[in-house]
Amino acid sequence: MAETSPDSPKQVRPFFSPFRAGLRRLVFFGSVTVVNLIATYWLYDLFERLGVHRAHGLLLIVFFVLNGLLVLGSFHAIFGAWDILLGKKQAVRITKLAEEAGDIPLTRRYAVVMPVYNEDSSRFCARIEAIYRSIEATGHIEAFDFFILSDTRDLDLWVLEETAWTNLCRKLGGFGRIYYRRRKINSNRKAGNIGDFVRTWGGGYEAMVVLDADSLMDGADILKMTRVMEAYPNLGILQTPPKLIRGASIFTRLQQFAMRLYGPLFIRGLNWWQLGGGSYWGHNALIRLKPFSDFCELPDLPGREPFGGKILSHDFVEAALMVSQGWEVWLAWDIEGTYEEAPPTLIDHLKRDRRWCQGNLQHLWLIFARKLPLTVRAHLFMGIMAYLGSPLWFLFLIFGTWVAWDRAGSRLSNYAYDGTPVDRLLHIDGNTQSLILTGFIFLLLFLPKILAVIGSILCSRVRKSFGGMIPLVIGSLMETLLSMLLAPCVMVAHTAIVASIVLGHAVGWGTQNRDTDGTSWSEAATVHAMPTLLGLAWAALAWHISPTFAAWMAPILSGLILSIPVSVWTSRARWGKALLRSKILATPEELNPPSVMQLADVAKASIDPALDATATGRHGVVAAVVDPYVNGVHVSLLEPGEMTPGQEAVVERCLMDGWQTLTKAEQNELLYDAPGMLMLHRAVWLRPAEGIHSTWTQAVESYRHRLDAGYDGDQ
């Protein structure tokens, strides 16, 4: 093998033949382009029959883009089905490559990193515990270290993270293998958090498994991925397709059912053409650290937010930089044990989309950059159009309403002219031509679902994993109906989000809601008031134009008008659980939970009453001051130092007037001041109750109540 520079892939010949990859991309995108051009010309010919209208040109432009996106999505499913049926020998199976590498000890060290931001520490520690025990069961835990990378700003949650981590390490014997770090300044959000890890600790590891706080991965699959990365030195990123789990509400269950049933077709279709030029989705992936460190330092975009500044959707860009430097990015489509959770309600979903939308629209700066491969531009384009598609759909509906209004007002014949090329060639009238186009659009919309359902019914293993044929068919019909009702509301919301970003309103960095009792009627009325009123007004206008046009628009207008009750109803966990009892919208992971999920369900290592910062009256920061064990853990994680007179004054004010009288900056600085925290701890226990604030005296007194109640360590 020829020698290469230290910064280049060590494997000269790429795993995927450039000729084969280029041919596949030509076939795939060529097919999408040809079909879209034919459909667009069909609509143009139909407009010829109708006679010239000012909106026809605009409609054709918007239709070309929208239909192109529809064809692109449907062809991913079609090519995925083709790959599943005929391409088993050609499709790269990560599991097979791992088996070829052999069951030998790993030669390199690997990190499992989980960035967290204001999360429930007991829940993300349960996931870490499950992954740890799952890797431990493979016999290769010595090759892995774990890192909790905290950007948490809530000071109480910071203390809870420290105690949860300490308990986790004590129970698992993980000191020196499970690490915790909280950044004092959380610059550049998650990308900055990961970047800080790479710069500080990355040199000690060959690669890192990147997780989200809601991620869960099977240890055996992580081992397979590391074996493949060791065997193929030019592999830069190995991305897995996570499955959605733990959905309780109807909304989340719709998402996880759809992803589990239809997702494999799209994943295989995506992998069919991208091959070694894949993308990175930000989590549940294995990344080689040396090239990531060398090439993936993200630049600031020109100008200010929302389009400039720090790159929010960093993952696509990092994969683009890897591929542009000759490193391969693969999609590990056959890795099964990879999971994540989703927002529980439509409103939470839209809040997350607000952040993702701004990040994806920033990629407009990058999509035409020089020296980017075709696959990179394709991924960036699809990410951008995931959000620009909604305002384009909205425009298409407006232009269509404009044309219908003008034609109704002019009282012209619907089909004033025959003799167009389609008429001369096929000898069909305008109504038939219109119905054929409509049927083609609906075929593109529903063909992926039809292929997935038929394939699942024919495969007994898959059919049984979804609870049988009847629950599978009922669930797919319910998912289709509810998705049709939700889509118009999402369209209007995305259009408003894009408009807000274009007007210069940048997004903040909020915490994702991972659990909820459901959306209240008042919240739904506030959030969905605009689409509801828009739907009512549009329905009145459509009926005024003609009952036929109103019927044509009914599926979209119904979704807008019913957005409030649909949002509330789909947020209810109790209805989701009722469906699960009937196996409706059930997924294989619910009916037969994998071992790593079972481990996470019973994981309690981070919870121990001997070291606890959650008790009433001694929660979070108060526990870090008062509780001897919590104070000891917190101080041990701080840098030693000497107190200044100013810091002593802050400590005295905190003692006398209470924690809440300090400013946010003073609170943060005090919690980083080891001598100050020790001084506070001693003072609340040694000074007379009359000389300190009631917060501290009540917390100290609570220990006496616990002893008086006969506390035995099990409460």
Side-chain angles (χ1 to χ4, degrees), residues 37-48:
L37 286 173
I38 292 173
T40 304
Y41 181 79
W42 190 276
L43 180 61
Y44 168 79
D45 188 273
L46 185 59
F47 284 162
E48 284 281 289

Side-chain angles (χ1 to χ4, degrees), residues 24 79-93 268 272 333:
R24 283 193 175 195
F79 277 78
W82 172 268
D83 195 45
I84 291 172
L85 290 173
L86 303 176
K88 290 185 178 180
K89 293 183 179 180
Q90 297 180 3
V92 177
R93 299 182 68 92
R268 292 291 290 272
W272 191 87
W333 59 267

Side-chain angles (χ1 to χ4, degrees), residues 77 186 489 651:
N186 58 348
C489 183
V651 170

Side-chain angles (χ1 to χ4, degrees), residues 80-81 84 258-269 333:
I84 291 172
M259 180 176 288
R260 193 66 175 86
L261 181 59
Y262 317 135
L265 287 183
F266 291 99
I267 292 297
R268 292 291 290 272
W333 59 267

Side-chain angles (χ1 to χ4, degrees), residues 313 351-361 387 512:
S313 292
K351 288 177 181 177
R352 186 187 66 177
D353 273 0
R354 175 67 176 83
R355 182 177 70 253
W356 285 7
C357 179
Q358 179 178 328
N360 284 17
L361 292 185
Y387 294 98
Q512 182 172 314

